[in-house]
Amino acid sequence: MPHIDFASILSSALTPITLISGVGLLAMSSRYAQACDRVRENLRQQGRSPDFDPGIEERLILNYHRAELLRKAILFVVLSAASSGLLVLASTLEGMFGVDLLIAKHVLLLCCVGLIVISTVFFALEVTTSLKALALRKEQESAIRRRRFTN
């Protein structure tokens, strides 16, 4: 098995992992806040409406599902950032005390990358759900306009 210098792997991987984690966390946090606001708005609309409105209920379910997906995506990106921190700690301890932590560092690097991939999958699912909610809203708005036009 050829010898691979872990320091070069780490230096080429850690910066993108950290950058992706940070930027992803900011973007997902913003989308999470927006999804939670939409859920609250749907709950208020549902409370004001004297009759059961299946459109509000469906939007509420979709927006709640979006928030759940984003919560999971945020969890995995935070775990990836924590793994990055542990990786830096392992490298520092290895350098300071001369302890061989190569296997732990490899495992932590794989965790960093794997957790970002999992987070990205949840984020992609949220974007898909967001588009479904948008299409539903557009369909309901069109139906309201048609009713107004015919009356």
Side-chain angles (χ1 to χ4, degrees), residues 5-41:
D5 183 30
F6 188 77
S8 65
I9 294 172
L10 182 62
S11 66
S12 65
L14 195 56
T15 301
I17 288 170
T18 306
L19 184 63
I20 290 168
S21 296
V23 171
L25 188 58
L26 288 173
M28 286 185 254
S29 295
S30 175
R31 289 183 70 89
Y32 180 75
Q34 180 189 41
C36 288
D37 288 343
R38 295 274 166 91
V39 168
R40 288 184 195 103
E41 178 186 326

Side-chain angles (χ1 to χ4, degrees), residues 31-131:
R31 289 183 70 89
Y32 180 75
Q34 180 189 41
C36 288
D37 288 343
R38 295 274 166 91
V39 168
R40 288 184 195 103
E41 178 186 326
N42 293 144
L43 286 170
R44 277 193 297 271
Q45 286 177 351
Q46 195 177 42
R48 286 192 303 250
S49 178
D51 299 325
F52 176 76
D53 185 349
I56 292 174
E57 185 71 20
E58 195 169 353
R59 285 195 313 268
L60 177 63
I61 291 167
L62 282 173
N63 285 315
Y64 184 79
H65 184 62
R66 283 183 58 208
E68 279 291 315
L69 290 170
L70 284 165
R71 183 189 61 79
K72 291 175 185 174
I74 289 169
L75 171 67
F76 285 110
V77 84
V78 166
L79 289 174
S80 175
S83 296
S84 297
L86 290 173
L87 181 55
V88 170
L89 177 64
S91 295
T92 303
L93 292 174
E94 188 177 57
M96 287 176 65
F97 300 113
V99 180
D100 182 20
L101 298 173
L102 189 60
I103 293 174
K105 292 188 319 183
H106 280 278
V107 169
L108 286 169
L109 183 59
L110 287 173
C111 285
C112 292
V113 175
L115 290 166
I116 283 181
V117 169
I118 293 169
S119 177
T120 303
V121 168
F122 279 112
F123 188 68
L125 290 171
E126 184 276 332
V127 170
T128 302
T129 304
S130 176
L131 288 174

